[in-house]
Amino acid sequence: MDKEVKIGRLAMRVEGDNWTAYYALENTMDGAIYLGQIKLRFVADKARKNAFMGMMKEAVSDILEEASGTRPTWPEGPHVAPEHERAGRG
């Protein structure tokens, strides 16, 4: 039986007028990989917000599959970042 191992996360941060996506290790943004960003006004619509997050998850999945040979699975729903890693405005 395969044991699930958490090796990182999709970190979404508000930076100015943009919503920015990174792939980061579990408890730090040090060494995070920049994936992309979109203007906040475009993700005010929930469907577009979910579409952008989905595209960023697919990008991370591609990176991890290429490196490990295994495509990752994602937990359901968003998880709040630790307080010490929050940036920008809520």
Side-chain angles (χ1 to χ4, degrees), residues 1-5 70:
M1 178 162 130
D2 292 334
K3 180 182 176 190
E4 288 187 18
V5 176
T70 302

CSV table of all heavy atoms in Angstrom, one decimal, residues 1-5 70:
chain,number,residue,atom,x,y,z
A,1,MET,N,0.8,-1.2,0.0
A,1,MET,CA,0.0,0.0,0.0
A,1,MET,C,0.9,1.2,0.0
A,1,MET,O,1.8,1.4,0.8
A,1,MET,CB,-0.9,0.0,1.2
A,1,MET,CG,-1.8,1.1,1.4
A,1,MET,SD,-3.1,0.7,2.6
A,1,MET,CE,-3.0,2.0,3.6
A,2,ASP,N,0.6,2.2,-0.9
A,2,ASP,CA,1.4,3.4,-1.0
A,2,ASP,C,1.0,4.4,0.1
A,2,ASP,O,-0.2,4.6,0.4
A,2,ASP,CB,1.2,4.1,-2.3
A,2,ASP,CG,1.8,3.3,-3.5
A,2,ASP,OD1,2.7,2.5,-3.2
A,2,ASP,OD2,1.3,3.4,-4.6
A,3,LYS,N,2.0,5.0,0.8
A,3,LYS,CA,1.7,6.0,1.8
A,3,LYS,C,1.8,7.3,1.1
A,3,LYS,O,2.8,7.6,0.4
A,3,LYS,CB,2.7,5.8,2.9
A,3,LYS,CG,2.5,6.8,4.0
A,3,LYS,CD,3.6,6.7,5.1
A,3,LYS,CE,3.4,7.8,6.1
A,3,LYS,NZ,4.5,7.8,7.0
A,4,GLU,N,0.8,8.2,1.4
A,4,GLU,CA,0.9,9.5,0.8
A,4,GLU,C,1.9,10.4,1.6
A,4,GLU,O,2.0,10.3,2.8
A,4,GLU,CB,-0.5,10.2,0.9
A,4,GLU,CG,-1.5,9.6,-0.1
A,4,GLU,CD,-2.8,10.4,-0.1
A,4,GLU,OE1,-2.8,11.6,0.4
A,4,GLU,OE2,-3.8,9.9,-0.6
A,5,VAL,N,2.7,11.1,0.8
A,5,VAL,CA,3.7,12.0,1.4
A,5,VAL,C,3.5,13.4,0.9
A,5,VAL,O,3.3,13.6,-0.4
A,5,VAL,CB,5.1,11.5,0.9
A,5,VAL,CG1,6.2,12.4,1.5
A,5,VAL,CG2,5.4,10.1,1.4
A,70,THR,N,5.8,10.3,-11.0
A,70,THR,CA,4.5,10.1,-10.4
A,70,THR,C,3.7,11.4,-10.4
A,70,THR,O,4.3,12.5,-10.0
A,70,THR,CB,4.6,9.6,-9.0
A,70,THR,OG1,5.4,8.4,-9.0
A,70,THR,CG2,3.3,9.3,-8.3
